[in-house]
Amino acid sequence: MTERTINPQPAEETTGNVTLHDILRMVAANWYWFVISAAVCLGAAYYYLASTPRIYSRTATILVKDSRKGGDTDLAAFSDLAGFQNRRSVDNEVFILQSRRLMSEVVRRLGLTTDYSVRDRLRTRDLYGQSPLRVRFIDETEDLSAELTVTPLPDGRLRLSDFDDGFLPKSERRTQIVVESGDTAATPVGKVVVERTPYLTPAYEGVPVRVRKRSLGSATSAYRNAVKCDVANKQASVVTVTMSNTVPRRAEEVIDALVAVYNEDAVEDKRRISVVTSDFIRARLDVIGRELGDVDRGIEELKRSNRMIDLQSEAARNVSESSRYKAEGLSLENQIAVARFVSDYLRDPAHAGELIPMAASVASETVAAQIDRYNEAILTRSRLLANGSEQNPVIGEMDRELAAVRRSILASLDSHIATLTLQRDAMRGEEATADDRIAAMPSQEKAMLGIARQQKIKEELYLYLLNKLEETQLNYAVAESNARIIDTAYGSPLPVSPRATMILSIALVVGLAIPFGLLYLVGMLDTTIRGRKDIEEHVSAPFLGDIPYHEGGDERGVAVREAGRDPLSEAFRMLRSNMTFMNVSAGNGIRSVLFTSTNPHAGKTFVAVNLAATLAMAGKRVLLVDLDFRRHALSSQLGHGGSKHGLTAYLAGTTDNADALIRPSGIHDGLDVIYAGTQPPNPAEMLLSERLDRLVGELKERYDFLFLDSTPAMSVADAVISDRLADLCIYIVREGVLDRRQLPDIERLYREKRFRNMCIVLNSTRVRRHGYGYGYGYGYGYGYGYGYGYGDDRHDDEKRRGIRGLLRRIFGKHKK
């Protein structure tokens, strides 16, 4: 029949090797470790909560004026000049807020270098803002670091003790000084003045107040690390300033002081720039004023030297004069030409007696009058000549008079021509002078333009600097900060740490996780057999049954009861029933059964004794034979380990009476025993004796079952030698003892048929419930020690419980 037919078992409801039921069973079996661990962790958490100061968080919100995001509203004196643009970035302002320089000023302003504290049960309570005492160090420097304890006494005085600055010897540290409030005391850490404050109440009498003076650098670093500045939104310029501290008031004051110092620093920086700018502008105004005066004097000198008032008017006047002189010159030329024509006309004899052409436009009045009189005389002569002859005396007289007039006219014309010539030359001279002045005008204009340009530049620069000087003064007067406070420091009255609920929850989880982790780690590190499934996965030999773990039994190792309904008794009855389903090559069925195992302490003697007792209780005659000549496990368990009348005596030929070897077991009337006897020097050779074969054959005729308790198969060859005597080999595997890595060796024994009708029995399994009342499955927990027989097993199982067994499992310290 197949193994399934031999030993039907309920299907395992597992996922892998570990089920939730296994975990719950492990927790239930080791509940006290979980309780102890949880209690210790909760106690540690409570101590931590009781000894750790409460931390409170405070946050302020400010709006930084970022010029990139429309926040630049300041008046900048040189905002329109390249190189003087005043641009701000919120990221840069965040770094400035976190600068060491600003925090140093905050520490100085709030006096944060000196701390006061008292011991309040397990916790140290900071007295910031409520200190009953005030200590001033007379010789205080920025690098001073010291500590002392001030204790108010009932008589109103103050005791100074426990001095320390990191270098004092123990003798000076133990110095005690009693002073009055307000007195200056010379102490090992320097001169100090201790004063009472309004917060000193009778409750502080006799209470030591610890005073710690830190250096400015260390205090600055501590508070600088505690303050965090972050940009709330990259799209905006809002900055949050956060600080966590044991005293909420101190966190609020530090944040508010930091923002105030930051704004003051920004205003002071702008005013400092305004002062420097004003000084620069005034200096430039002086220089430019002097240069502008020089330019004005140059214009004055140029106008004076050229006798001009205005360059354009002078140019127009010169052009007008030149044109006038040229016109007058042309007029004079015309008059001279006309006068010469008349003169030539009069001198020409061909025109004698003719009228003189009149050119009144050019002739002088005198000449014109003479010409008029001459023409009238010519006309008169012509009338007279028409009525007379040239010999008329009157005509003669008139001719003489006309000749005189002609001469007079010629003289007047010559004089007039000379006068006109002089006037013409004068006009040409004036015209040339005007032309020279006109020719000199471009040079004068160029010089004037250069001077005017310098004047204009100087004037514009002078006016610009005057305007910027006023703007600078205005900037100084209305200088504003770079940030606007949206919310001053605020926060919840509840501490942000330590969070009691979270810490206690974590402590509880850790307290439960530690034993679970250790037990699970032990289970992971455990390479021993943990259940039937391990055997079925690695060994193809038939599985005959499993024996649950059991504590108790009598001194002979008998744990089954004839009418017992306990799991152990039922297990052996099931094992007895499964034996009948084994196919045996011999036609007479199973008569002799060999018990062996891989290593000692597998419990094969315990299984053999209790299975034999179960068969005897069923009415069978059973004989137990101790074939372990080396340790006499069966004989020792039954109290005859030192018996000299045993099987070895028969095999050695000392006795031939087989009946003398058989002894009643005292367990049941149907159960007898043959003890091993004296330990021989050659157990293996003795087991090869033919006398043993004859004895076994004879005993098979007399008993229903012959149980041969042999040695471990992997330790010595005795079990393999004894296999020839058996119809069935029950190979005992103990859960929690046999290493799973040895299962391939058992499989090899089965496949190589080293044992006849080999089958497996799993011993010492952990019991778990099944539908019909009980069952056997995997067991996680403490390791088992090896036992040889039930008595040893029980001792080992007791030792595996507790922390010693746990350590044995972790470090592999199994009993060999």
Side-chain angles (χ1 to χ4, degrees):
M1 298 180 65
T2 63
E3 179 188 351
R4 185 182 302 272
T5 305
I6 293 171
N7 190 15
Q9 295 288 348
E12 294 287 347
E13 298 178 0
T14 62
T15 57
N17 291 332
V18 182
T19 65
L20 178 62
H21 189 274
D22 297 329
I23 295 175
L24 294 177
R25 192 174 67 252
M26 177 190 70
V27 173
N30 303 280
W31 62 270
Y32 45 90
W33 289 115
F34 288 90
V35 173
I36 294 173
S37 178
V40 171
C41 291
L42 288 174
Y46 177 79
Y47 176 80
Y48 173 78
L49 293 173
S51 60
T52 303
R54 302 289 186 267
I55 304 298
Y56 300 86
S57 178
R58 292 295 181 265
T59 301
T61 307
I62 62 175
L63 176 64
V64 176
K65 298 169 184 176
D66 193 333
S67 57
R68 299 174 305 173
K69 302 174 181 178
D72 193 2
T73 60
D74 295 337
L75 295 175
F78 293 100
S79 60
D80 55 348
L81 291 180
F84 287 91
Q85 287 84 1
N86 189 9
R87 296 291 183 262
R88 288 188 299 273
S89 170
V90 65
D91 298 323
N92 296 336
E93 300 305 314
V94 168
F95 280 105
I96 295 175
L97 271 170
Q98 293 179 316
S99 65
R100 187 179 184 86
R101 178 174 58 86
L102 296 185
M103 186 55 69
S104 297
E105 179 61 27
V106 172
V107 171
R108 291 191 189 96
R109 185 173 298 185
L110 298 180
L112 299 177
T113 56
T114 304
D115 297 330
Y116 304 88
S117 61
V118 295
R119 194 68 179 173
D120 186 6
R121 297 181 181 177
L122 298 176
R123 185 183 299 121
T124 299
R125 179 163 55 92
D126 198 300
L127 299 176
Y128 178 82
Q130 298 179 345
S131 175
L133 307 166
R134 181 182 298 108
V135 178
R136 292 188 293 108
F137 292 83
I138 303 300
D139 303 326
E140 180 178 357
T141 62
E142 291 186 352
D143 296 330
L144 178 62
S145 178
E147 295 184 17
L148 70 153
T149 299
V150 182
T151 305
L153 300 178
D155 58 0
R157 295 186 298 172
L158 305 170
R159 182 174 66 238
L160 311 182
S161 61
D162 298 332
F163 301 97
D164 187 17
D165 63 356
F167 304 98
L168 291 177
K170 291 184 178 180
S171 57
E172 295 187 11
R173 294 180 185 177
R174 297 172 181 173
T175 303
Q176 294 189 1
I177 302 174
V178 179
V179 298
E180 297 288 344
S181 176
D183 290 349
T184 301
T187 67
V189 295
K191 294 182 180 180
V192 299
V193 177
V194 185
E195 300 174 340
R196 293 170 172 265
T197 67
Y199 295 101
L200 181 58
T201 61
Y204 282 103
E205 291 183 358
V207 177
V209 178
R210 190 63 177 174
V211 181
R212 183 177 66 159
K213 173 66 175 66
R214 292 186 291 178
S215 65
L216 178 63
S218 63
T220 300
S221 299
Y223 286 100
R224 182 167 173 259
N225 294 331
V227 175
K228 305 299 180 184
C229 299
D230 296 306
V231 180
N233 189 339
K234 291 299 181 181
Q235 303 300 323
S237 57
V238 177
V239 177
T240 58
V241 185
T242 305
M243 178 180 177
S244 297
N245 199 267
T246 56
V247 182
R249 176 182 173 184
R250 176 162 53 194
E252 294 173 359
E253 292 182 357
V254 169
I255 293 176
D256 292 340
L258 178 60
V259 175
V261 170
Y262 166 74
N263 288 332
E264 293 172 4
D265 181 75
V267 171
E268 182 63 26
D269 183 64
K270 293 178 181 179
R271 288 184 172 178
R272 185 167 55 251
I273 294 175
S274 298
V275 171
V276 174
T277 305
S278 297
D279 295 340
F280 169 76
I281 291 176
R282 288 191 178 94
R284 290 300 301 163
L285 284 174
D286 292 340
V287 173
I288 294 173
R290 290 193 297 269
E291 293 177 353
L292 187 59
D294 295 340
V295 172
D296 292 339
R297 283 189 293 271
I299 294 175
E300 179 186 4
E301 183 65 25
L302 179 63
K303 289 183 177 181
R304 181 184 297 113
S305 61
N306 290 279
R307 304 178 66 84
M308 66 175 66
I309 299 175
D310 182 70
L311 184 62
Q312 294 180 353
S313 62
E314 287 294 325
R317 183 175 65 82
N318 288 331
V319 172
S320 176
E321 288 182 355
S322 176
S323 299
R324 181 169 58 83
Y325 289 148
K326 184 176 292 185
E328 290 180 357
L330 291 175
S331 176
L332 291 173
E333 287 284 351
N334 293 331
Q335 291 180 17
I336 291 172
V338 170
R340 286 178 178 174
F341 172 75
V342 174
S343 177
D344 293 339
Y345 186 85
L346 290 176
R347 286 185 174 92
D348 189 358
H351 299 293
E354 294 181 0
L355 293 174
I356 299 174
M358 189 64 184
S361 60
V362 295
S364 66
E365 293 180 358
T366 301
V367 175
Q370 290 177 349
I371 291 173
D372 289 339
R373 191 170 65 248
Y374 177 81
N375 289 334
E376 288 178 359
I378 290 296
L379 292 174
T380 300
R381 181 178 177 274
S382 297
R383 286 191 305 268
L384 292 176
L385 186 60
N387 296 318
S389 63
E390 292 182 357
Q391 285 80 19
N392 187 350
V394 176
I395 298 289
E397 183 63 29
M398 290 186 69
D399 288 337
R400 288 190 293 275
E401 186 178 349
L402 286 172
V405 173
R406 182 185 296 273
R407 288 192 296 272
S408 177
I409 291 172
L410 288 174
S412 296
L413 285 175
D414 291 337
S415 176
H416 182 62
I417 289 172
T419 301
L420 290 176
T421 301
L422 290 175
Q423 291 180 357
R424 184 198 62 184
D425 293 339
M427 288 296 173
R428 287 179 177 176
E430 292 296 332
E431 180 183 357
T433 302
D435 290 340
D436 292 338
R437 286 200 300 268
I438 292 174
M441 289 300 295
S443 299
Q444 295 175 1
E445 184 178 12
K446 179 180 178 182
M448 182 62 72
L449 287 176
I451 298 174
R453 185 181 298 111
Q454 291 293 324
Q455 184 187 39
K456 183 178 181 181
I457 292 174
K458 300 298 182 181
E459 287 179 351
E460 290 179 353
L461 184 58
Y462 191 83
L463 294 175
Y464 172 78
L465 289 177
L466 284 177
N467 184 34
K468 293 307 173 183
L469 180 61
E470 293 300 321
E471 289 184 5
T472 304
Q473 297 297 328
L474 181 61
N475 280 340
Y476 182 86
V478 299
E480 59 179 348
S481 63
N482 293 341
R484 180 165 64 89
I485 299 175
I486 299 176
D487 290 317
T488 57
Y490 67 96
S492 172
L494 300 178
V496 295
S497 69
R499 298 180 179 179
T501 303
M502 182 180 69
I503 290 177
L504 291 176
S505 300
I506 293 176
L508 179 61
V509 172
V510 172
L512 297 177
I514 288 176
F516 181 84
L518 289 177
L519 293 174
Y520 186 79
L521 179 62
V522 168
M524 295 298 294
L525 296 176
D526 184 13
T527 60
T528 60
I529 298 297
R530 293 181 293 184
R532 173 178 175 176
K533 189 174 182 180
D534 290 341
I535 298 176
E536 292 177 340
E537 289 178 350
H538 297 87
V539 180
S540 58
F543 189 84
L544 193 62
D546 45 13
I547 307 300
Y549 171 76
H550 178 74
E551 291 182 343
D554 57 20
E555 66 277 0
R556 293 168 297 183
V558 179
V560 296
R561 295 177 295 171
E562 186 169 1
R565 303 301 301 173
D566 57 284
L568 184 67
S569 300
E570 292 293 342
F572 275 104
R573 294 189 187 101
M574 185 176 292
L575 190 63
R576 177 188 66 190
S577 301
N578 289 340
M579 284 178 56
T580 62
F581 293 97
M582 290 297 297
N583 291 325
V584 184
S585 59
N588 297 328
I590 298 174
R591 301 297 299 278
S592 59
V593 180
L594 178 68
F595 291 86
T596 186
S597 62
T598 299
N599 296 318
H601 312 298
K604 55 184 178 56
T605 301
F606 169 76
V607 175
V609 170
N610 283 275
L611 182 57
T614 303
L615 290 170
M617 293 174 185
K620 305 294 184 180
R621 288 185 54 80
V622 184
L623 177 62
L624 281 170
V625 180
D626 190 359
L627 291 183
D628 187 356
F629 295 158
R630 302 174 187 271
R631 296 187 60 185
H632 305 169
L634 177 60
S635 302
S636 300
Q637 183 170 314
L638 296 179
H640 294 80
S643 176
K644 298 181 179 180
H645 302 286
L647 185 58
T648 56
Y650 178 81
L651 296 178
T654 304
T655 178
D656 294 328
N657 187 5
D659 294 334
L661 301 177
I662 300 174
R663 296 285 188 272
S665 64
I667 299 172
H668 194 275
D669 294 339
L671 179 60
D672 296 330
V673 182
I674 296 181
Y675 302 113
T678 306
Q679 181 175 355
N682 54 348
E685 287 77 5
M686 188 167 288
L687 289 173
L688 292 171
S689 174
E690 294 181 358
R691 293 173 62 86
L692 180 59
D693 293 276
R694 291 196 298 269
L695 177 62
V696 170
E698 181 180 347
L699 294 175
K700 284 183 179 181
E701 299 296 332
R702 299 172 57 180
Y703 288 90
D704 296 323
F705 290 97
L706 185 63
F707 282 5
L708 307 176
D709 185 18
S710 185
T711 59
M714 299 294 181
S715 301
V716 292
D718 296 7
V720 178
I721 295 174
S722 303
D723 181 65
R724 72 183 190 280
L725 307 174
D727 300 324
L728 176 68
C729 176
I730 297 180
Y731 200 99
I732 307 299
V733 175
R734 183 170 181 177
E735 181 180 313
V737 173
L738 181 67
D739 197 310
R740 289 194 299 274
R741 293 171 292 184
Q742 293 179 295
L743 291 177
D745 297 332
I746 300 176
E747 174 65 12
R748 186 166 52 254
L749 292 176
Y750 175 73
R751 292 187 179 278
E752 294 176 357
K753 300 186 181 300
R754 296 292 185 91
F755 295 102
R756 183 178 304 172
N757 295 318
M758 177 179 168
C759 59
I760 306 297
V761 171
L762 181 61
N763 184 28
S764 194
T765 62
R766 290 290 178 177
V767 179
R768 66 176 182 178
R769 292 208 168 269
H770 287 275
Y772 54 87
Y774 64 88
Y776 316 104
Y778 304 108
Y780 294 90
Y782 302 108
Y784 300 122
Y786 290 93
Y788 202 79
Y790 183 76
D792 293 339
D793 297 345
R794 179 176 58 188
H795 177 66
D796 291 335
D797 288 335
E798 290 175 352
K799 290 196 299 182
R800 73 186 174 191
R801 301 174 63 186
I803 192 63
R804 285 177 27 183
L806 179 63
L807 295 176
R808 287 176 181 273
R809 293 294 300 278
I810 294 176
F811 297 103
K813 297 180 179 180
H814 297 295
K815 179 179 178 181
K816 301 296 183 183

